Amino acid sequence: MPLRVRFDPVDSTRISRDVLSDSLSQYLTSLRVRRPNSGFEEVHSGLQNVKSLRIVRKSPYYMAVIDIGKNRRTTRSTKVPWRARTTEERRQNASKAYIVAAGMQRISDKKKADELTPETIDRIVQSISTLVTEPEVNAAAVVETFFAEWLATTKGRTLECYQHVTNLFFDSIGDRKKLQMRQIRVADIRAFLKLRKNEGVADTTLRQNLKILNTVFLRARKLQVIQTSPVEPVLATAGLSDEQMDRFVFTCEEVARLIEVADADWEFMVQTGFYVGTRIGDAAIIQAKSYDFEKNTIYYLDRKKNKFLKKPMHRAYASFIRTRLKELNPDDFMSPELCNLKTGGSGGLSRRFMRLMNKAGIDSKTAAGKGKRKFSELSYHSLRHTMNSNLANAGVPQEMRMALVGHDDNTVNDTYTHLDINALSKALDSLPALPTSSRRST
């Protein structure tokens, strides 16, 4: 029932547990969420036996009415003040007083059953103290700090992406980033989504933004900082389309044209994208020592997943790399002119690859995206799609295709660890052999 008692000694000197049931229930529920190991069960049975609280004019504290057996009761101070500035504070204080009273009643019950020991008293007192003492504000649970600690666990391109979404979210919530994580509401997430929609962002990007935010709040939930993620209801009801723009693939003739006009660094990049399925930024930082010809494997860093991947090499690619390694030391980068460049920007790797395509006479098929940006249906990433399509056309099972390309899904990665490297090598050999540049073969 709702709380109807006024906490004024002139109007009420006795507060029953039944009247306080709603307020007490809410307070105890919040305790279970915030402090799951606080020892609530130690005083629970005593809570059921507490008869009432009293307010005595001469005392600033709630008084507990304790049953001491043989139809006798006694009154003891809970040391919880009944005076408060707000109704909510009064309700919480009354709830705390009942918990203290429950501990007292528990001790009395143990004594009546002749089960009271010093250890039992210490345990009950510790439980009461933990339950009624407000926890210190956890600085790590402040939105700004929690996000910063989360970002510190990521690196490379993933960090850049997550940092961008974090900045957008902070711009949206303003000073609320200084609040506790549990104080961020569903309304804050909806306001962020509305702001991004007004900027003309595509549904796929909006969905990605929300999923990134949800990752942070799910982490907070696992760490028992919050009870539920405010992002999940928005994701479930936003009605965002997950349809993505189709990306084209290169023909073998087009890849040969790219190799013909490429310098040594870009020839390596194209060959690696076609045979290994790397992303452009990952290919640019591969070193000479990444290759093991005894095991016929390449071992390189996937910066998106922040982990090293080991893949078999196609025989034509291995032959190309052997020739290239004659000019390099183990610690040298395979594409020294490109290894320090960023992926984006006017002078970045992606734009430079576009210029290589133009030089080879290949149309990037730029089209309007679903948001405000333009979309290139052919890009370096298309080499990754090309590899997968060629493997599919050669009849390679999907499980092996995803392992060879390096699919992002975690379950696929788990599956990859159980696949035999020889079986993958055999599947990889189904790819066609690319020609080397005629300028360097003579």
Side-chain angles (χ1 to χ4, degrees), residues 67-109:
D67 183 352
I68 58 175
K70 297 181 180 180
N71 295 321
R72 292 186 299 163
R73 296 177 183 175
T74 187
T75 304
R76 293 287 183 267
S77 173
T78 65
K79 297 299 181 182
V80 179
W82 53 262
R83 289 187 177 90
R85 295 181 180 180
T86 65
T87 301
E88 180 60 31
E89 185 179 350
R90 289 170 181 169
R91 289 175 176 174
Q92 286 201 5
N93 283 356
S95 298
K96 292 177 183 178
Y98 256 109
I99 292 174
V100 175
M104 294 178 179
Q105 185 65 59
R106 178 68 166 162
I107 291 174
S108 177
D109 293 343

Side-chain angles (χ1 to χ4, degrees), residues 335-392:
S335 51
E337 298 298 323
L338 305 176
C339 63
N340 292 320
L341 298 179
K342 292 183 178 181
T343 301
S346 58
L349 294 170
S350 295
R351 290 287 181 89
R352 292 189 180 214
F353 184 75
M354 289 296 178
R355 289 196 283 271
L356 181 68
M357 289 175 57
N358 291 335
K359 188 176 179 181
I362 300 172
D363 183 8
S364 64
K365 300 179 175 63
T366 301
K370 294 183 182 296
K372 59 184 179 180
R373 296 182 179 180
K374 292 185 177 181
F375 179 83
S376 297
E377 294 173 338
L378 270 181
S379 66
Y380 185 89
H381 201 77
S382 297
L383 290 170
R384 187 172 165 88
H385 288 256
T386 301
M387 176 185 181
N388 185 68
S389 297
N390 286 337
L391 290 170

Side-chain angles (χ1 to χ4, degrees), residues 19 39 72 160 167 202 205:
V19 173
R72 292 186 299 163
E160 292 177 12
N167 292 340
T205 304

Side-chain angles (χ1 to χ4, degrees), residues 31-214:
L31 280 177
R32 286 194 182 97
V33 172
R34 291 182 292 137
R35 319 181 81 171
N37 300 315
S38 57
F40 171 75
E41 297 304 326
E42 189 62 51
V43 298
H44 184 268
S45 62
L47 192 68
Q48 308 305 312
N49 297 329
V50 174
K51 302 305 179 185
S52 64
L53 293 178
R54 294 180 67 86
I55 294 177
V56 180
R57 286 176 178 272
K58 294 181 180 180
S59 174
Y61 305 115
Y62 285 108
M63 306 299 290
V65 180
I66 306 300
D67 183 352
I68 58 175
K70 297 181 180 180
N71 295 321
R72 292 186 299 163
R73 296 177 183 175
T74 187
T75 304
R76 293 287 183 267
S77 173
T78 65
K79 297 299 181 182
V80 179
W82 53 262
R83 289 187 177 90
R85 295 181 180 180
T86 65
T87 301
E88 180 60 31
E89 185 179 350
R90 289 170 181 169
R91 289 175 176 174
Q92 286 201 5
N93 283 356
S95 298
K96 292 177 183 178
Y98 256 109
I99 292 174
V100 175
M104 294 178 179
Q105 185 65 59
R106 178 68 166 162
I107 291 174
S108 177
D109 293 343
K110 286 285 187 181
K111 185 177 180 179
K112 286 186 289 185
D114 199 24
E115 298 175 355
L116 192 62
T117 64
E119 292 76 14
T120 302
I121 295 174
D122 288 343
R123 188 168 61 251
I124 294 174
V125 171
Q126 181 61 40
S127 298
I128 295 171
S129 176
T130 304
L131 286 166
V132 301
T133 303
E134 284 297 317
E136 296 180 2
V137 174
N138 183 4
V142 173
V143 175
E144 206 171 22
T145 306
F146 195 89
F147 270 74
E149 292 184 352
W150 167 68
L151 288 171
T153 64
T154 63
K155 295 180 180 179
R157 291 170 58 193
T158 301
L159 173 59
E160 292 177 12
C161 177
Y162 288 2
Q163 182 68 68
H164 176 63
V165 174
T166 297
N167 292 340
L168 291 171
F169 181 59
F170 283 178
D171 289 342
S172 172
I173 63 175
D175 289 340
R176 290 183 64 78
K177 67 184 179 182
K178 300 186 183 300
L179 299 178
Q180 298 279 298
M181 287 289 288
R182 58 185 168 79
Q183 293 176 284
I184 298 300
R185 303 167 299 175
V186 173
D188 295 314
I189 308 301
R190 293 195 190 282
F192 169 73
L193 178 62
K194 182 178 180 180
L195 181 65
R196 295 289 283 153
K197 278 187 174 181
N198 292 340
E199 293 173 351
V201 178
D203 279 7
T204 50
T205 304
L206 293 174
R207 179 177 288 276
Q208 181 198 46
N209 289 175
L210 291 178
K211 285 184 175 180
I212 290 172
L213 290 181
N214 198 38

